[in-house]
Amino acid sequence: MVGLTSAAGVIALLDEYDDELKVYALQKLNAVVDQFWAEISDAVSKIEIMYEDTEFKDRKLAALVASKVYYHLGDFDDSLNFALGAGNLFDLSLKSEYVDTIVSKCIDKYIALRAQESQDPANAVPLDPRLKDVVEKMFQRCYQDGEYKQAVGIALEAHRLDVVEHSIKTGGPSNILPYVYELTMTVVQDQAYRSTLLQLLVDQFRKLDVPDYVSINQCLVHLGDHVAGAGLLQTLVESDSQSDLLMAYQLAFDLESNATQKYLTKVSKALPVESAADVQSKYDKIKSILSGKETIKLQLEFLCRNNHTDMLILKNSKSVLDARLSIYHSAVTFANAFMNAGTTSDDFLRQNLEWLSRATNWSKFSATAALGVIHKGQLSQGLTLLAPYLPQDGVTASPYSEGGSLFALGLIHANHGDEVLDYLRDILKNTQIEVLQHGACLGLGTAGMATDNDDIYEELKNVLFSDSAIGGEAAGLAMGMVMLGTASEKALDEMLQYAHETQHEKIIRGLAIGISLVMYGKEDAADVLIERLSSDKDPILRYGGMYTIAMAYCGTGSNKAIRRLLHVAVSDVNDDVRRAAVTALGFILFRNYKQVPRIVQLLSESYNPHVRYGACLALGISCAGTGSLEAIELLEPMTKDNTDFVRQGAFIALAMVLMQQNETQNSKSTIVRTMYEEVIKKKNEDALAKFGAVLGQGIIDAGGRNVTISMQSRSGHSNMQAIVGMALFTQFWYWFPASHFLSLAFTPTAIIGVNADLNMPEIEFTSSARPSLFAYIPPTKPPTAVVVEKVATAVLSTTAKAQAKAKKAKTAEPEAMEEDEKPEEKTEEQKEEELKVANKQKKEPTFEKLGNLARVVPAQLKFISFDKDSRYVPMKTDVTGGIVVLLDNKPGEPETLIAATTAVVPAAAADTKMEVEEEEAPLPEPFTFPFEN
């Protein structure tokens, strides 16, 4: 049978008067519309008239045909309207491109109208009942097919909490709840709606047969509900179950790593003050954990025990670079600080006192502040360690070393500053020396981060209003750190007003970055301020506007924010603003780091070197510690860029990307390390590029090769301290001492197990990966001694003849020479057998056993498992690294504990039934830098 070649005959029937013929024509057209839609489109107006005729009996069929024609024409809005008019004839169950497309458009329109209704009910457009009916049918289809996650996805965007709740109940809470939580934190942009969803999730997590306390705790942190958070801890502590108590300790550790100082303080205060003696001791432990002391003590123990700093790298860089140039002296200072961050190891400084004494002015400030990075976390000994350098009454020392020591004190107590805030405030009140003010402000801001302390804010404001360029810049940054994430209108108004009044660019820049910190994590709420800053005539404030976008939308992947940044990156007249706009992309996209190389690829080839530099930092920030090959491919060509500071940015970014990556994991690791050495040794290389290479050496081996840079915490929260530290680190472009802020972004990569007494027992767990895959990078080999070859002695011809005669006479002697025994020659079979044995010995195992305080890099976590039958098992089911509270399955048996080496263990802590390992020698005594006044 010959197929149709034209629909003209059927279309002609549409002009008949008989309705039966019209219906027949529509039925035929409906069957062939996908083939002859171009012909039918000429008669679509006739089909529309049939649909609009209320007396025509098959209006719905006319609507369906018209919908399909408009679909093929690409007019999806009209196609959707006619599809809705087709009623039941528009069959959702059909599997076709037309149905899928129209349903998709239908859902998009429904979501848009529902979002408008929830945001602005007064001006909302009424929902078309037919549209609602199609979406409801889609929900029913999802339920029937068991596609509950699809239903949840639509419902979340359409603000249909009833569907979300129904999907959780019917689809299995254990399966659907984690998915809903993930979407809530990544897809939902409206903060008010997100809070409503989180509250719903808390209720659902509580209703589980075994409540998911870890997830409840995470939701309460996002909600900022400290009362409920304290109530959860109290419920678990006062339960008779040992596992509930251990879960309370685990939640406290999670809180400490995710929440702000302000939230932790409120939770701690909300816990009962007076209880029975045994219960009170449990509360005291939780308060100690919330204060950060326990976490820092355990992390310090890990960093000190596993320190793999390669001192030879530093030594080689120092010997090549001219210490008389402050840029090189500062570079080696920063590299040493990063390499030894948190390890308390100051061996390099002790061995190079003469080199250290060459530091002058701000180099001296940076060198002293480096002690804060090296001893970061020594909360109990911070003041003692820095005592030789801190300002003292009646003693006049170098203001640069004193100012640096105040900054160092803040770095030691970063985000845990209760013990030093009053001391720093007193110093700030009683000094008029600009450098001291600078150091005290930076120290106050770092130690008082996110405390929302009005008294500190007022002290800093007084320094700002003194209109000192040096002190005012630090005051602006510190005000932002103290008011971090508060969106305080009072602070924003005062800071913005003074930024317009002052003539000092340094102060304006400090305030611009400070303003961005105040709006940390505020997303849409920051839009008005972003618009105001972005349109300001002062380029420094526009620069601040770019950082405000970065801080407000950090980790959200917001398309709106990305579009704005990309527009500024190619349109603003100021290079600094364009550089900041590209850099900010790294902050927004760190959760989706694989997208960043694709987005910045064209920017990395820009004619403008500042844009290329921004692309380097964006790649480094977002892909830090991932070893992303796509990022490395973009960065490698920029290490040979014509502009010195672009090369600097590429060196720094490569170090961030390749942190904790060995040769087995990433073949580029060795190549990049060798490149740093070659750049530093090259005599005609620019100073800025060498600075970047030395900094790169410090970053790639940071924290004794035991830390990584991570913009998000192990539980998936944005790592506030790391994000702020990274944003402030990028200000080293203007002010080298800001480099030290990078230490705030360093996260130890360890699994540290603790028992009910918060002591570290000896444990064993399995890493199902080859040991070489995540092994430490081998240390640099020292140069081998060069052996001087001996020159052959000249021999006279007469001497040679005499020696030849003597030799001939000797061989003629009758005594037989003793012959050496010839070794037996091995057969081919024996050789093959030996080769097989050698290969067996060389074959690497496919797994390894690790113990407590072991380094476990993020990529290794998926290979980690605990034996369920072992004595100690973690309270959390998911292995996320960090501090893990362990349940003891054999509580009656003696425990073997690992003794702390970084702090003296009180005698009372030793139990008669526990075998404690011998304590190591105490730390060496503090020493004084040989700085000249």
Side-chain angles (χ1 to χ4, degrees), residues 142 191 209 226 294 321 327 351 483 619 655 744 768 788 816:
C142 289
Q191 287 193 310
D209 295 336
H226 65 278
E294 298 296 332
L321 297 172
I327 186 171
Q351 293 165 11
M483 306 304 284
L619 288 165
L744 302 183
S768 307
V788 181

Side-chain angles (χ1 to χ4, degrees), residues 38-306:
E39 278 186 83
I40 301 169
S41 64
D42 292 335
V44 73
S45 58
K46 297 174 185 177
I47 300 172
E48 286 186 47
I49 291 169
M50 291 180 195
Y51 169 66
E52 290 165 3
D53 184 0
T54 54
E55 294 180 1
F56 184 64
K57 63 177 183 179
D58 265 351
R59 293 176 63 225
K60 292 181 179 180
L61 182 58
L64 182 62
V65 175
S67 173
K68 289 181 178 180
V69 172
Y70 279 117
Y71 162 73
H72 286 293
L73 288 169
D75 190 346
F76 297 125
D77 289 335
D78 281 343
S79 180
L80 173 58
N81 288 331
F82 283 111
L84 294 174
N88 294 331
L89 292 181
F90 179 57
D91 189 356
L92 301 180
S93 62
L94 290 176
K95 300 288 184 183
S96 73
E97 191 177 331
Y98 161 70
V99 172
D100 291 345
T101 304
I102 298 306
V103 167
S104 173
K105 295 293 176 185
C106 190
I107 291 169
D108 288 345
K109 188 170 183 181
Y110 180 76
I111 288 170
L113 292 171
R114 285 284 302 173
Q116 186 184 359
E117 185 181 342
S118 64
Q119 291 169 4
D120 188 7
N123 300 318
V125 178
L127 266 174
D128 188 333
R130 300 173 302 173
L131 188 68
K132 189 175 180 181
D133 188 45
V134 171
V135 176
E136 290 295 342
K137 285 179 183 176
M138 277 305 301
F139 284 138
Q140 293 304 320
R141 182 175 158 187
C142 289
Y143 297 153
Q144 290 166 8
D145 297 345
E147 298 288 351
Y148 293 102
K149 289 185 177 180
Q150 286 188 13
V152 165
I154 298 168
L156 279 176
E157 289 196 78
H159 294 241
R160 287 289 300 275
L161 296 183
D162 55 324
V163 176
V164 174
E165 200 164 346
H166 179 75
S167 298
I168 291 170
K169 288 177 183 175
T170 53
S174 59
N175 182 32
I176 303 297
L177 273 173
Y179 180 70
V180 177
Y181 175 75
E182 182 186 351
L183 289 183
T184 301
M185 299 314 302
T186 55
V187 175
V188 178
Q189 300 291 330
D190 184 354
Q191 287 193 310
Y193 177 47
R194 187 188 300 156
S195 297
T196 308
L197 281 169
L198 287 170
Q199 195 60 59
L200 170 70
L201 285 169
V202 169
D203 297 337
Q204 293 298 323
F205 281 126
R206 288 184 190 277
K207 290 176 184 176
L208 294 174
D209 295 336
V210 179
D212 188 345
Y213 295 117
V214 174
S215 298
I216 293 170
N217 195 39
Q218 289 179 9
C219 292
L220 293 175
V221 171
H222 285 297
L223 288 167
D225 190 349
H226 65 278
V227 176
L232 179 64
L233 292 174
Q234 187 174 347
T235 304
L236 291 169
V237 168
E238 295 181 358
S239 164
D240 295 333
S241 168
Q242 176 73 357
S243 61
D244 282 351
L245 174 64
L246 294 175
M247 180 55 76
Y249 291 157
Q250 183 67 69
L251 295 184
F253 278 117
D254 290 352
L255 272 178
E256 194 280 328
S257 66
N258 293 321
T260 63
Q261 280 195 72
K262 185 179 178 182
Y263 182 86
L264 293 171
T265 305
K266 286 182 176 180
V267 170
S268 190
K269 287 180 179 176
L271 292 171
V273 179
E274 294 182 5
S275 304
D278 57 333
V279 178
Q280 189 59 46
S281 66
K282 297 171 184 175
Y283 281 126
D284 290 342
K285 283 179 184 173
I286 286 183
K287 288 178 180 178
S288 176
I289 294 169
L290 292 176
S291 71
K293 292 177 182 176
E294 298 296 332
T295 301
I296 288 171
K297 182 174 75 176
L298 294 167
Q299 289 179 347
L300 269 175
E301 185 69 29
F302 161 71
L303 291 172
C304 292
R305 279 176 178 267
N306 296 280

Side-chain angles (χ1 to χ4, degrees), residues 16-25 53 55-57:
E16 296 292 333
Y17 291 104
D18 189 349
D19 283 356
E20 294 296 333
L21 289 173
K22 290 180 180 179
V23 171
Y24 176 78
D53 184 0
E55 294 180 1
F56 184 64
K57 63 177 183 179

Side-chain angles (χ1 to χ4, degrees), residues 373-616:
V373 178
I374 293 169
H375 293 285
K376 185 172 177 283
Q378 290 272 27
L379 302 186
S380 58
Q381 302 172 37
L383 285 166
T384 309
L385 286 165
L386 295 171
Y389 321 105
L390 290 168
Q392 297 172 10
D393 292 336
V395 179
T396 306
S398 165
Y400 291 98
S401 60
E402 289 181 349
S405 67
L406 295 173
F407 184 22
L409 192 61
L411 290 168
I412 288 174
H413 292 263
N415 208 23
H416 299 91
D418 291 344
E419 298 174 10
V420 295
L421 288 176
D422 289 338
Y423 172 80
L424 288 167
R425 281 176 62 192
D426 288 342
I427 296 286
L428 191 60
K429 276 183 191 176
N430 300 322
T431 185
Q432 297 300 317
I433 302 170
E434 286 185 330
V435 181
L436 284 184
Q437 286 180 337
H438 186 87
C441 287
L442 292 178
L444 266 176
T446 311
M449 195 185 295
T451 52
D452 191 14
N453 188 316
D454 281 329
D455 295 336
I456 296 175
Y457 173 81
E458 291 299 326
E459 294 288 346
L460 293 167
K461 192 169 74 174
N462 291 338
V463 175
L464 177 73
F465 288 168
S466 68
D467 208 40
S468 154
I470 294 172
E473 179 186 32
L477 291 171
M479 288 160 77
M481 284 191 273
V482 171
M483 306 304 284
L484 182 65
T486 60
S488 164
E489 289 187 14
K490 172 178 175 282
L492 289 170
D493 288 343
E494 290 176 346
M495 293 168 79
L496 200 54
Q497 183 181 352
Y498 195 75
H500 282 117
E501 290 174 1
T502 186
Q503 299 299 309
H504 293 291
E505 284 191 2
K506 288 173 76 70
I507 294 178
I508 300 171
R509 188 173 296 110
L511 287 169
I513 300 301
I515 288 168
S516 72
L517 298 178
V518 175
M519 297 308 291
Y520 170 83
K522 291 304 174 186
E523 296 180 26
D524 293 346
D527 283 350
V528 176
L529 177 65
I530 289 168
E531 184 64 43
R532 187 176 172 187
L533 290 171
S534 301
S535 57
D536 199 286
K537 64 181 181 181
D538 188 337
I540 300 176
L541 288 177
R542 295 204 302 278
Y543 173 87
M546 297 307 101
Y547 273 93
T548 306
I549 296 173
M551 294 297 99
Y553 288 95
C554 57
T556 62
S558 166
N559 288 330
K560 177 175 67 175
I562 292 168
R563 277 196 301 271
R564 183 165 212 147
L565 290 170
L566 289 173
H567 173 70
V568 173
V570 296
S571 65
D572 200 277
V573 296
N574 185 273
D575 286 336
D576 287 353
V577 180
R578 296 176 71 173
R579 186 180 70 248
V582 184
T583 304
L585 290 169
F587 289 98
I588 291 171
L589 287 165
F590 66 74
R591 290 186 201 277
N592 307 313
Y593 69 88
K594 291 180 181 177
Q595 293 182 15
V596 180
R598 181 172 53 82
I599 290 174
V600 303
Q601 183 175 6
L602 290 175
L603 295 170
S604 69
E605 298 167 6
S606 168
Y607 73 92
N608 189 320
H610 291 264
V611 173
R612 299 200 298 274
Y613 178 90
C616 290

Side-chain angles (χ1 to χ4, degrees), residues 692-929:
V694 178
L695 234 59
Q697 285 185 327
I699 294 167
I700 202 169
D701 288 338
R705 295 178 172 165
N706 291 307
V707 301
T708 187
I709 291 174
S710 180
M711 297 288 107
Q712 56 182 332
S713 67
R714 294 181 180 88
S715 55
H717 291 249
S718 292
N719 186 343
M720 179 194 71
Q721 184 172 313
I723 291 166
V724 172
M726 184 62 79
L728 293 171
F729 164 73
T730 59
Q731 304 312 304
F732 82 88
W733 175 277
Y734 305 100
W735 197 236
F736 282 162
S739 301
H740 287 309
F741 281 114
L742 186 64
S743 63
L744 302 183
F746 292 159
T747 306
T749 52
I751 287 183
I752 306 171
V754 296
N755 61 12
D757 297 323
L758 305 185
N759 293 322
M760 295 174 289
E762 286 192 353
I763 60 173
E764 189 176 75
F765 53 90
T766 307
S767 171
S768 307
R770 293 178 291 124
S772 65
L773 191 59
F774 301 108
Y776 283 103
I777 293 128
T780 308
K781 293 178 181 177
T784 52
V786 179
V787 179
V788 181
E789 292 183 4
K790 291 183 178 179
V791 179
T793 309
V795 181
L796 296 173
S797 59
T798 52
T799 310
K801 286 178 183 177
Q803 286 176 347
K805 282 182 181 178
K807 190 176 180 182
K808 191 174 181 181
K810 192 174 182 182
T811 53
E813 290 177 4
E815 290 93 349
M817 298 281 290
E818 289 183 6
E819 290 185 359
D820 293 331
E821 292 183 5
K822 292 183 178 178
E824 291 182 13
E825 290 189 10
K826 293 179 181 176
T827 64
E828 289 295 326
E829 290 179 1
Q830 287 175 326
K831 288 179 181 177
E832 286 178 11
E833 192 62 31
E834 285 182 6
L835 193 65
K836 284 181 183 177
V837 171
N839 285 338
K840 279 184 181 178
Q841 290 173 350
K842 288 179 184 177
K843 192 175 180 182
E844 188 182 7
T846 56
F847 69 95
E848 64 177 324
K849 294 288 184 181
L850 300 173
N852 210 343
L853 292 167
R855 183 185 86 148
V856 178
V857 300
Q860 191 178 0
L861 287 170
K862 61 187 176 187
F863 298 104
I864 298 298
S865 59
F866 282 79
D867 185 359
K868 293 180 181 177
D869 299 327
S870 61
R871 175 170 181 176
Y872 297 101
V873 292
M875 290 303 302
K876 286 167 76 171
T877 51
D878 297 330
V879 179
T880 57
I883 298 170
V884 180
V885 178
L886 303 167
L887 176 64
D888 187 354
N889 290 323
K890 299 174 183 176
E893 296 183 12
E895 290 182 283
T896 304
L897 299 180
I898 298 172
T901 58
T902 53
V904 179
V905 180
D911 195 299
T912 52
K913 69 174 182 178
M914 298 182 183
E915 302 159 24
V916 183
E917 293 180 2
E918 186 178 342
E919 189 175 314
E920 291 186 21
L923 292 174
E925 292 297 319
F927 68 98
T928 306
F929 282 3

